[in-house]
C-alpha cells in the first residue's frame, strides 16, 4: 500500500477514535486533505485512496491543479486567506470558502456569485488569538458579520473556522476550539444556524473533534512534511 493511502487510513482511524471518545458519530466529521505545495500526482493518489474534499490555500495554485485533476467526485475548499480582488476566481473554483473575514469580502463574494448564478458556501474565519499576523475577524465582530452575511442572497453561511496559534502540545489548542464552539452557540441563539465548525490540523485534530469539529483540515499527517 502506498504511503498516502496508509496515512489516510491512519488519520481516519484517529478521527473515529476521537469521535467515539466523546460519543459522537464519526460520520459527521469531514476530512479535508490539505494539498498546498503537494503535486498533482500525489493528490491523485489521495483521491484514489478515498479523499473526497481537498483544501487549498492559494487561488492560483488551486486553479492549476483543478484544471489538471478536475472535480469529478471531489470537492475543493479554499482554506487560505482570500483577497477581494480574487473573489471572482474563488467563487468559480471552490465549493466552499473557509476564510470569509470581512464585510468587504462578503459583499464582493456575493456580487461575484450572483453574476455567476451561484450560491457559494462560506465559513466565517475567526481570529481567537488576537495575533496581528493571523487572518480572521475578531470574536467581538463575528456576530455582526454573521448577520451581514445572512442578509446576502448569494452566500450560504455554513459555519465558523479558526486556526489557533501553533503549539507542539495539542492540549494548548483546546481552549481555542472551546471558544469557537461557544461563539457558534452564541450566534445560533440569535437565530443563525451554523452547522459546521472547521477546526483542527495534523497536530491537534483529535482535540478539535472532542470539542465539536465537523471539518478537520489535515495536510502533513497525510502527505508528510511540506517542502
Ligand atoms: C496548511 C494548513 C492546514 C494543514 O496543516 P497541517 O499541519 O499540514 O495539517 C490547515 N489549515 C490551514 C488554514 C492551513 O493553512
Amino acid at each position: 500500500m502506498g504511503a498516502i493511502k496508509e496515512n489516510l487510513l491512519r488519520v481516519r482511524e484517529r478521527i473515529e477514535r476521537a469521535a467515539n471518545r466523546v460519543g459522537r458519530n464519526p460520520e459527521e466529521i469531514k476530512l479535508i486533505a490539505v494539498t498546498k505545495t503537494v503535486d498533482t500526482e500525489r493528490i491523485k493518489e489521495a483521491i484514489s485512496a478515498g479523499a473526497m474534499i481537498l483544501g487549498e490555500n492559494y487561488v492560483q495554485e488551486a486553479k492549476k491543479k483543478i484544471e489538471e485533476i478536475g472535480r469529478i467526485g471531489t470537492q475543493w475548499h479554499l482554506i487560505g486567506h482570500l483577497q477581494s480582488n480574487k473573489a471572482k476566481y474563488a467563487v468559480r473554483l471552490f465549493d466552499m470558502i473557509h476564510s470569509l473575514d470581512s464585510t468587504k469580502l462578503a459583499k464582493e463574494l456575493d456580487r461575484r456569485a450572483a453574476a455567476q448564478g451561484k450560491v457559494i458556501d462560506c465559513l466565517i474565519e475567526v481570529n481567537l488569538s488576537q495575533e496581528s499576523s493571523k487572518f480572521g475577524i475578531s470574536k467581538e465582530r463575528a456576530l455582526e458579520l454573521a448577520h451581514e452575511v445572512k442578509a446576502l442572497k448569494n452566500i450560504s453561511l455554513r459555519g465558523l473556522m479558526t486556526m489557533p496559534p501553533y503549539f507542539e502540545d495539542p492540549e494548548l489548542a483546546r481552549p481555542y476550539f472551546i471558544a469557537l464552539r461557544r461563539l457558534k452557540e452564541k450566534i445560533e441563539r440569535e437565530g443563525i444556524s451554523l452547522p459546521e465548525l472547521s477546526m483542527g490540523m495534523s497536530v491537534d485534530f483529535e482535540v478539535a473533534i472532542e470539542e465539536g469539529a465537523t471539518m478537520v483540515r489535515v495536510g502533513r499527517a497525510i502527505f508528510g512534511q511540506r517542502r
Side-chain angles (χ1 to χ4, degrees), residues 133-222:
S133 60
K134 282 259 171 65
F135 297 109
I137 195 160
S138 71
K139 193 165 85 179
E140 290 69 32
R141 278 223 55 230
L143 174 63
E144 195 182 333
L145 181 59
H147 277 296
E148 289 168 5
V149 173
K150 274 314 275 187
L152 300 173
K153 288 195 173 58
N154 293 80
I155 295 182
S156 173
L157 179 59
R158 301 289 302 151
L160 304 179
M161 181 274 229
T162 199
M163 194 160 155
Y166 180 81
F167 299 111
E168 293 279 340
D169 176 3
E171 278 305 322
L172 298 177
R174 190 183 295 274
Y176 296 92
F177 299 144
I178 294 173
L180 195 69
R181 187 187 67 224
R182 294 213 173 119
L183 181 60
K184 159 202 156 83
E185 289 162 358
K186 180 181 161 196
I187 296 173
E188 287 192 320
R189 282 197 293 276
E190 302 240 344
I192 297 174
S193 147
L194 299 171
E196 307 288 356
L197 277 181
S198 167
M199 56 189 196
M201 322 193 341
S202 290
V203 281
D204 53 19
F205 68 85
E206 286 146 307
V207 174
I209 288 168
E210 288 172 6
E211 299 304 339
T214 64
M215 297 179 156
V216 291
R217 310 179 307 268
V218 179
R220 288 170 297 163
I222 297 171

Side-chain angles (χ1 to χ4, degrees), residues 45-63:
E45 205 178 318
I47 294 169
S48 310
M52 311 277 288
I53 310 177
L54 307 171
E56 281 283 339
N57 284 65
Y58 306 103
V59 173
Q60 271 312 106
E61 186 181 338
K63 183 171 181 287

Side-chain angles (χ1 to χ4, degrees), residues 46-180:
I47 294 169
S48 310
M52 311 277 288
I53 310 177
L54 307 171
E56 281 283 339
N57 284 65
Y58 306 103
V59 173
Q60 271 312 106
E61 186 181 338
K63 183 171 181 287
K64 287 203 197 90
K65 291 176 179 176
I66 296 170
E67 279 167 4
E68 194 178 326
I69 296 171
R71 40 178 98 242
I72 300 161
T74 57
Q75 282 190 20
W76 294 83
H77 289 197
L78 180 67
I79 62 170
H81 180 65
L82 176 61
Q83 288 172 314
S84 300
N85 61 8
K86 301 233 173 76
K88 174 176 155 189
Y89 304 101
V91 166
R92 190 166 294 155
L93 288 168
F94 294 101
D95 299 287
M96 182 179 275
I97 292 167
H98 290 230
S99 47
L100 175 52
D101 64 354
S102 73
T103 306
K104 182 182 173 205
L105 179 58
K107 285 186 176 157
E108 190 59 13
L109 284 169
D110 183 61
R111 189 167 81 83
R112 295 299 187 172
Q116 295 174 36
K118 249 179 116 163
V119 175
I120 181 84
D121 284 343
C122 289
L123 307 177
I124 290 179
E125 179 175 358
V126 186
N127 179 350
L128 295 166
S129 59
Q130 317 288 333
E131 284 177 290
S132 54
S133 60
K134 282 259 171 65
F135 297 109
I137 195 160
S138 71
K139 193 165 85 179
E140 290 69 32
R141 278 223 55 230
L143 174 63
E144 195 182 333
L145 181 59
H147 277 296
E148 289 168 5
V149 173
K150 274 314 275 187
L152 300 173
K153 288 195 173 58
N154 293 80
I155 295 182
S156 173
L157 179 59
R158 301 289 302 151
L160 304 179
M161 181 274 229
T162 199
M163 194 160 155
Y166 180 81
F167 299 111
E168 293 279 340
D169 176 3
E171 278 305 322
L172 298 177
R174 190 183 295 274
Y176 296 92
F177 299 144
I178 294 173
L180 195 69

